[in-house]
Amino acid sequence: MILPGATLGMLGGGQLGRMFTTAAQTMGYKVIVLDPDKNSPAGIIADQHICAAYTDESALAELAQLCSAITTEFENIPASTLAFLEQRTVVHPSSTALASTQNRNVEKNFIRAQGIATVPFVKINCSDDIDNLGSQISFPAILKVATFGYDGKGQIVCEDLSAVYAAFDAMGQKECVLEQRIDLEREISVVLARGQDGQITPFPVAENVHINGILHSTTVPSIAAESLQQTAIEMASKIAEGLAYVGTMAVEFFVSKQGDIIANEIAPRPHNSGHYTLDACRTSQFEQQVRMLCGLPAGNAELISPVVMINLLGDVWGNSQPHWNKLLTQPDIKLHLYGKKEARAGRKMGHFNVLAAETSQAMELASQTFEAIKAD
């Protein structure tokens, strides 16, 4: 076990790194963040900020020398960076686990290898692959860049074959995946913690709503059937085991109107849909991340209140500040801002959690409050 007083490393200085840093410091650990942005949200609150690129081997060697263990906040850290660090200190998740989730084609093939369904998909490397699609994919479909896509970025809806050619050109003819759209009933996600001993502790299943490809709200408990929720937890656990994963991770699922459950994406880190755990569970997903990294047993993941989480994007700021008084006068709403200096459209600036005795009450108050705080 790595105990309080030790120093932990975080690759990445965004909001997920910031919330990890807060959890670790609360538990008595020191945190060093490595991030190339001098104003990174995690870097400005960490005990030390190494402002360097993720491929800077001298900076990485310094981080490894100073830290008892190192983790990451997002999957686009080069797997080679983690492999470099693994030669020098404890690193979770592993470079091999990260590599399995960085490319959408590799990720989907991995999921299928676990016996878990994905949407029908085809790897697109060149125009010839589009020529040869035949009946492999029905339209409408979505063309997604294979790497570095997130929050709706790097994806284009295609209504027919000609749109795929145009979208592929718009992507710069980089490796892509063409995914068939499904008749969607709902989107859910499972956040879980897996320890070095293989023990898995899942959080309650979350029900998610996306707007323009970006998560807008998460509601817990989900209204999905109990059997479906249990299946999702079993699938996510199987994926974690297949990756030999250590840490906090999430799996997003589609539920079709026919009742099928389909794995969409793996997030090898805490997840936006797990932010509700900060206020509505006995242990947050970020404390679990600290615990898993340090070889501690998982905390109790029990839900203590129905909750709705609402993302706050830069759009809410307008040309000024949101009407925070409309939110902060509500005793059962918890505000979390990420310390980002500039509000931009589509940029995640924070979130709030609404707690209530009933899910319906939380949903109504969340909707009312979101509309009320928008800047003029």
Side-chain angles (χ1 to χ4, degrees), residues 166-193:
F168 186 55
D169 287 340
M171 299 286 195
Q173 298 196 355
K174 298 176 182 176
E175 181 190 343
C176 290
V177 57
L178 184 66
E179 299 180 5
Q180 188 169 310
R181 293 189 73 172
I182 66 165
D183 200 9
L184 190 65
E185 174 71 25
R186 58 174 47 91
E187 296 178 70
I188 61 175
S189 58
V190 175
V191 178
L192 59 80

Side-chain angles (χ1 to χ4, degrees), residues 199-332:
Q199 183 70 34
I200 291 175
T201 304
F203 286 98
V205 173
E207 184 145 343
N208 303 316
V209 173
H210 289 78
I211 298 177
N212 297 325
I214 302 176
L215 183 66
H216 172 65
S217 69
T218 296
T219 301
V220 184
S222 167
I223 62 171
E226 194 65 40
S227 60
L228 189 147
Q229 293 187 47
Q230 187 56 43
T231 298
I233 290 172
E234 290 169 1
M235 287 180 170
S237 298
K238 193 170 185 178
I239 288 170
E241 289 168 353
L243 291 170
Y245 192 85
V246 174
T248 297
M249 63 168 280
V251 182
E252 295 179 284
F253 295 95
F254 296 141
V255 180
S256 74
K257 289 185 177 177
Q258 293 72 40
D260 298 322
I261 182 164
I262 300 163
N264 177 32
E265 290 183 357
I266 305 168
R269 51 172 170 78
H271 192 253
N272 197 166
S273 69
H275 290 351
Y276 76 89
T277 65
L278 285 162
D279 300 302
C281 289
R282 296 195 183 279
T283 306
S284 78
Q285 64 171 342
F286 300 100
E287 181 180 335
Q288 295 289 54
Q289 187 181 19
V290 176
R291 286 175 168 272
M292 299 303 96
L293 181 63
C294 294
L296 303 173
N300 186 337
E302 179 186 357
L303 188 73
I304 56 178
S305 170
V307 59
V308 173
M309 187 282 301
I310 300 290
N311 260 342
L312 295 172
L313 305 183
D315 313 60
V316 177
W317 268 244
N319 295 317
S320 58
Q321 284 282 324
H323 300 297
W324 295 126
N325 57 305
K326 303 289 180 65
L327 184 152
L328 294 173
T329 51
Q330 302 282 351
D332 291 321

